[in-house]
Amino acid sequence: MFIGKTALVTGSTSGIGLGIARSLAAQGANVILNGFGEAGAMARLKDELAELYDVQVRYDGADMSRPDAIEAMMGAALSEFGCVDLLVNNAGIQHVAPVDAFPVDKWYAILAINLSAGFHTTRLALPAMKKKGFGRIVNIASAHALVASPYKSAYVTAKHGVAGFTKTVALEVAELGITVNAVCPGYVLTPLVELQIPDTAKARGISQDEVIRNVLLAAQPTRKFVTVEQVAALTCFLCTDDAASITGAVLPIEGGWTAH
Ligand code: NAD
């Protein structure tokens, strides 16, 4: 499906991003992994994917909160592969606290990683996509790009921003063979969600079991977590030729959450 194409998936050393990188590689894309991880583990992951799927795999540990690091990563990707054909902006962090107690540094970090990083990768990837007349940009937003939850002011703000950015860029490149979409997962049981359970319990004054039952899964009419594989499958579809007419879309994959 993606043979000869190069994919860059930010935040792909864990959770949803890793699932997307695996799926793209399994369908023939060369993949640039990004995210934090111990050097030995990253080298093993890179080799595992390259051998399993017979594609080229690179790892770039650029910190998505730093525009200079993003520029260096994109420069290296473009000089090696010529074009990042499939760009998946996925890196993200979360912090849960009431707005009047929200740590200022966390606010800026969430906006930088969850929102501004995608601006930088996009602006740097587009010239080569335009030259080729092909490109796919998928921004991993969240159900929180469509609705809010208390105690997540920075995250909800950033993800709503991602939805607006997605639509704007989609309009700018609509005639050039480039699509730009946002995927909006509900709760997926990854480290990002596991780590927020204790803070949510504290903020709401309830137990961690109650957070899973009465906060996380209560949001989703299916009462099931969304899986990494489901998000990866939707993302891969958006990268295909069949999805050429889907652009500027902000697509929920959240077990019916936003139908409420
Ligand atoms: P995760 O914590 O499992 O993975 C996050 C990835 O981002 C990791 O690879 C991590 O190293 C990387 N990362 C974090 N900070 C970074 C930085 N400064 N620079 C580079 N990489 C960085 O989380 P996840 O649940 O897989 O989340 C992935 C994306 O999906 C995020 O944008 C998140 O907001 C979104 N999302 C997650 C859920 C969910 O329920 N898990 C729901 C909706 C949306």
Side-chain angles (χ1 to χ4, degrees):
M1 185 81 80
F2 302 126
I3 290 171
K5 298 224 159 32
T6 299
L8 167 61
V9 185
T10 69
S12 48
T13 57
S14 164
I16 293 170
L18 179 54
I20 293 170
R22 269 186 195 284
S23 297
L24 291 168
Q27 294 177 61
N30 297 321
V31 170
I32 301 159
L33 301 167
N34 160 259
F36 297 141
E38 183 266 316
M42 294 303 99
R44 283 192 296 280
L45 175 62
K46 189 166 71 77
D47 292 346
E48 181 210 321
L49 294 186
E51 276 168 36
L52 199 55
Y53 302 119
D54 195 22
V55 294
Q56 295 186 59
V57 183
R58 301 285 179 268
Y59 166 70
D60 193 313
D63 181 341
M64 290 298 104
S65 69
R66 289 182 40 205
D68 60 336
I70 298 173
E71 283 185 13
M73 176 182 75
M74 293 302 293
L78 293 168
S79 65
E80 181 168 8
F81 293 102
C83 186
V84 172
D85 307 282
L86 318 173
L87 170 64
V88 182
N89 290 307
N90 166 81
I93 58 167
Q94 173 63 286
H95 187 81
V96 178
V99 68
D100 49 351
F102 210 90
V104 171
D105 61 333
K106 292 278 185 213
W107 171 272
Y108 285 114
I110 288 174
L111 290 190
I113 297 164
N114 297 21
L115 176 60
S116 300
F119 157 67
H120 293 297
T121 55
T122 298
R123 73 180 171 81
L124 295 164
L126 274 177
M129 288 181 175
K130 286 181 179 175
K131 221 182 254 175
K132 262 198 173 178
F134 178 88
R136 294 286 183 267
I137 300 176
V138 182
N139 298 320
I140 305 303
S142 166
H144 284 117
L146 300 162
V147 293
S149 293
Y151 314 122
K152 296 183 178 177
S153 54
Y155 188 86
V156 170
T157 300
K159 295 297 188 181
H160 275 66
V162 170
F165 181 67
T166 299
K167 294 181 199 178
T168 306
V169 182
L171 295 179
E172 291 184 19
V173 298
E175 294 180 45
L176 305 177
I178 303 165
T179 68
V180 190
N181 292 291
V183 165
C184 299
Y187 287 109
V188 185
L189 204 51
T190 64
L192 180 137
V193 167
E194 284 161 357
L195 290 171
Q196 69 184 267
I197 291 173
D199 286 345
T200 304
K202 196 168 145 204
R204 291 180 182 251
I206 57 178
S207 74
Q208 295 193 27
D209 278 350
E210 285 171 313
V211 170
I212 293 175
R213 215 176 34 252
N214 300 338
V215 179
L216 304 186
L217 294 182
Q220 304 190 169
T222 53
R223 299 260 166 193
K224 286 186 181 135
F225 283 105
V226 178
T227 68
V228 165
E229 291 72 22
Q230 290 164 352
V231 179
L234 176 56
T235 303
C236 284
F237 177 69
L238 291 171
C239 291
T240 64
D241 289 338
D242 284 340
S245 294
I246 305 176
T247 196
V250 180
L251 297 164
I253 170 166
E254 33 58 312
W257 177 346
T258 61
H260 274 139

